[in-house]
Amino acid sequence: MCIGAPTFVAREFFMERMREPASLRSFYHLLDTPLQDVACNGLACFAARQDAPERWAKACRQTPTVYCLGKCYASPSDSGHDVLPHVSCHARKSVLLQNVADGGVTDLLEYIKRGGGDARQCALRTSPDDLVKMICASQLRGRGGAGFPAWRKWQTVAMHAAPRKYLVINADEGDPGAFSDRFLMERDPFLLIEGAIVTAQAIGANAGFVYVRKEYPDAARVMSEAIVAARAAGWLGERFDLECVVGAGSYLCGEETALLNALEGRRPEARLRPPQVAERGLFGYPTLVHNVETLCCVPWIAKHGAEAFAELGFSASRGTKLLSLNSLFNRPGLYEVEFGIGLDALVGKLGLGLRRGPLKGLMVGGPLAGIVPPALLHTRLGYEEMAAIGCAVGHGGVIAFANDSSIAAIAAEVFRFGARESCGKCTPCRLGIPALAYDFATAAVPPSPKQANGIAHDAVIDALATTSLCGHGRGIAEFARALQRHFPEEWSACRG
Ligand SMILES: Cc1cc2nc3c(=O)[nH]c(=O)nc-3n(C[C@H](O)[C@H](O)[C@H](O)COP(=O)(O)O)c2cc1C
Ligand code: SF4
């Protein structure tokens, strides 16, 4: 039996289950929504709403709401307009963006001509154990948000004997403000496929899925075509095969256990842990879930050596990181930097300052991270360094807010987003976030009746932080606490 051909699970199982229960269909926002004429309601578009008020108004009126088309460099955005962003590498070595910056490579022969494929050859000659050691020595941490050491997950999956193991590529890129995975997939799909092949060889995975958000139709098409080409060239097939699965509009599906439920055709709520997905993941088998960018680092590491990768970056954050800069910068775009860059350099040297200001704050790493105030721009980009100021590297989306956005208005947008995307399993998340959204939306419109529905914000935030089953509720609490810490006066004014 060829367990490398996973077609039975992905498309048919997924679509079959989608047709069935209302509990499943009701979860997804965009199941039956074509994305031909939609405007984006994401946070980067909110930050730039003054630049095209009618487009933002359309996004606010539209049902269902569409969050993040991945065009935050040209916000407020919609499905009908796109331009190419500025793309450049500011690291000593380019691990990720070489092909993207050179115009993109979507043909396998061209990819090989430019040096692609060497990592795959190297992996085929290397034992799984040595590949895990290589990733350990590289100090690669997951780029999807949490920054967990990659080798630990690799080792756990590798050491579990099982008739099947899966590699799941998280291409949901749900954080408004981030568009790096979109460009890696659209412009360098074989880099991701090669990273997946090397990783599968290390952990003994027979099958893998790329779960791409519905809002990225071009990425899904390019990935699907590249997978067919890689299969035809013998890169994929008997040993390890990949399939592209397209989502149906749900931020929570980026959370790895919800993502596995989605792939299994279940209602994509977050799962209780333990067991960890590395032990019992997709269909109960050991599963490695990685973000697109994480896997795209792997070919460079295999080709140039773990030490060369670990030499880049700083502190406990090694290698390079992609940053997506939104349209409020003079030079928005996609940047590859080494960890350790100061946030002030990010604003001044990469983004060339703001088109209008002054800067209210910098949201780095998505809506579940905090907002960095101007006074803390000397902070250097690193997992621990960002955590020390109550913020996060996250997935590297950077949204600059000018001071035409009040803290109440930003908080209201984030809470509204959080409320809409909650899976509803935990009470503070299901009921508390909508209550926060209501209060802050009320406070954002002066003169505001203070503490409109009388809830105790601190109690809700504490409950979110301590009782949430997944990172969604906890992340919203972290965001709120960062605002309390860095913008105390404006926060208090909202509380009454
Ligand atoms: C609400 C929520 C949404 C998430 N969305 C994404 C996402 O869109 N893409 C992603 O790679 N990770 C996302 N994550 C993190 C994943 O759960 C998981 O940690 C990640 O895919 C692991 O890959 P990594 O080790 O390469 O970072 C999300 C987490 C939470 C709590
Ligand atoms: S924290 Fe929110 S999104 Fe996460 S499991 Fe609980 S209700 Fe669902």
Side-chain angles (χ1 to χ4, degrees):
M1 181 179 65
C2 172
I3 50 177
T7 317
F8 76 98
V9 247
R11 195 172 301 125
E12 284 156 32
F13 196 89
F14 183 71
M15 291 317 294
E16 195 47 48
R17 295 293 294 266
M18 292 283 242
R19 271 183 221 111
E20 285 174 7
S23 63
L24 183 60
R25 292 184 62 85
S26 65
F27 196 93
Y28 294 99
H29 307 303
L30 304 176
L31 198 55
D32 302 316
T33 307
L35 293 174
Q36 266 81 31
D37 181 28
V38 292
C40 181
N41 209 211
L43 271 174
C45 291
F46 166 77
R49 62 199 179 285
Q50 319 283 13
D51 297 323
E54 63 304 329
R55 206 177 281 170
W56 175 249
K58 176 180 172 180
C60 294
R61 277 195 310 271
Q62 192 175 269
T63 311
T65 305
V66 174
Y67 277 120
C68 214
L69 297 168
K71 301 176 185 175
C72 319
Y73 48 87
S75 293
S77 68
D78 65 15
S79 51
H81 300 80
D82 203 3
V83 288
L84 282 180
H86 171 87
V87 177
S88 59
C89 175
H90 296 257
R92 281 171 289 165
K93 307 258 171 62
S94 177
V95 173
L96 292 158
L97 276 192
Q98 191 70 59
N99 284 339
V100 177
D102 290 346
V105 187
T106 52
D107 175 78
L108 182 55
L109 288 179
E110 179 63 23
Y111 177 73
I112 293 169
K113 214 156 82 187
R114 295 194 195 187
D118 293 355
R120 174 177 161 268
Q121 293 295 346
C122 159
L124 293 175
R125 292 191 303 267
T126 311
S127 73
D129 199 32
D130 284 345
L131 288 172
V132 176
K133 284 190 184 133
M134 171 189 82
I135 289 302
C136 180
S138 75
Q139 301 179 51
L140 175 66
R141 296 168 72 166
R143 305 304 199 225
F148 194 76
W151 74 272
R152 289 215 199 132
K153 299 202 293 192
W154 286 38
Q155 192 180 51
T156 308
V157 179
M159 73 188 203
H160 268 78
R164 251 182 229 183
K165 293 183 191 177
Y166 291 107
L167 172 65
V168 172
I169 304 173
N170 192 341
D172 200 43
E173 194 159 74
D175 283 354
F179 45 85
S180 44
D181 290 350
R182 180 190 149 202
F183 278 88
L184 286 172
M185 288 188 285
E186 287 181 13
R187 308 198 133 228
D188 207 1
F190 295 105
L191 181 70
L192 177 58
I193 292 173
E194 191 175 11
I197 292 170
V198 175
T199 307
Q201 156 87 2
I203 62 170
N206 330 86
F209 299 98
V210 192
Y211 186 91
V212 185
R213 69 194 274 102
K214 182 171 178 177
E215 294 85 339
Y216 287 1
D218 291 340
R221 179 183 47 76
V222 173
M223 278 317 303
S224 301
E225 289 170 4
I227 287 169
V228 170
R231 206 175 281 138
W235 279 31
L236 297 172
E238 276 299 302
R239 286 166 76 106
F240 170 70
D241 209 351
L242 263 180
E243 182 157 343
C244 188
V245 175
V246 179
S250 159
Y251 176 67
L252 199 73
C253 283
E255 195 281 333
E256 61 185 11
T257 62
L259 173 44
L260 298 186
N261 279 339
L263 283 173
E264 291 182 10
R266 299 175 196 281
R267 188 172 163 86
E269 294 170 344
R271 292 181 184 175
L272 269 172
R273 296 193 237 205
Q276 299 300 338
V277 300
E279 293 159 356
R280 283 185 52 202
L282 191 62
F283 297 104
Y285 293 106
T287 302
L288 179 63
V289 183
H290 264 318
N291 168 253
V292 169
E293 186 181 327
T294 314
L295 287 168
C296 284
C297 292
V298 172
W300 197 92
I301 295 170
K303 191 169 166 179
H304 298 271
E307 289 70 26
F309 185 83
E311 208 170 281
L312 303 169
F314 99 130
S315 183
S317 306
R318 313 307 308 187
T320 64
K321 179 80 196 80
L322 296 186
L323 298 177
S324 312
L325 267 56
N326 75 327
S327 67
L328 247 67
F329 290 98
N330 280 314
R331 194 174 60 179
L334 183 57
Y335 293 87
E336 180 168 9
V337 300
E338 284 181 50
F339 282 105
I341 185 174
L343 299 183
D344 41 10
L346 182 164
V347 173
K349 293 202 178 127
L350 305 187
L352 304 181
L354 292 198
R355 282 194 294 112
R356 60 187 152 78
L359 177 72
K360 179 86 182 183
L362 216 53
M363 177 183 271
V364 186
L368 305 186
I371 295 185
V372 183
L376 289 178
L377 287 188
H378 58 271
T379 308
R380 295 176 71 184
L381 187 76
Y383 292 103
E384 283 68 30
E385 292 71 16
M386 292 295 284
I389 59 164
C391 297
V393 172
H395 185 46
V398 181
I399 303 180
F401 290 98
N403 73 343
D404 55 10
S405 295
S406 68
I407 286 301
I410 297 171
E413 281 299 309
V414 172
F415 293 144
R416 183 164 69 90
F417 172 79
R420 179 172 180 270
E421 301 297 338
S422 166
C423 81
K425 212 164 173 174
C426 317
T427 307
C429 185
R430 186 177 68 248
L431 300 180
I433 302 178
L436 290 172
Y438 177 80
D439 268 14
F440 281 80
T442 310
V445 186
S448 53
K450 295 187 173 167
Q451 209 156 340
N453 67 15
I455 61 157
H457 295 160
D458 289 345
V460 173
I461 293 162
D462 284 350
L464 281 169
T466 52
T467 66
S468 291
L469 183 60
C470 86
H472 184 68
R474 287 195 297 274
I476 291 287
E478 276 164 29
F479 164 78
R481 283 180 172 165
L483 292 192
Q484 282 177 312
R485 179 169 164 188
H486 298 311
F487 302 90
E489 284 170 18
E490 281 190 69
W491 179 272
S492 303
C494 300
R495 291 177 58 202

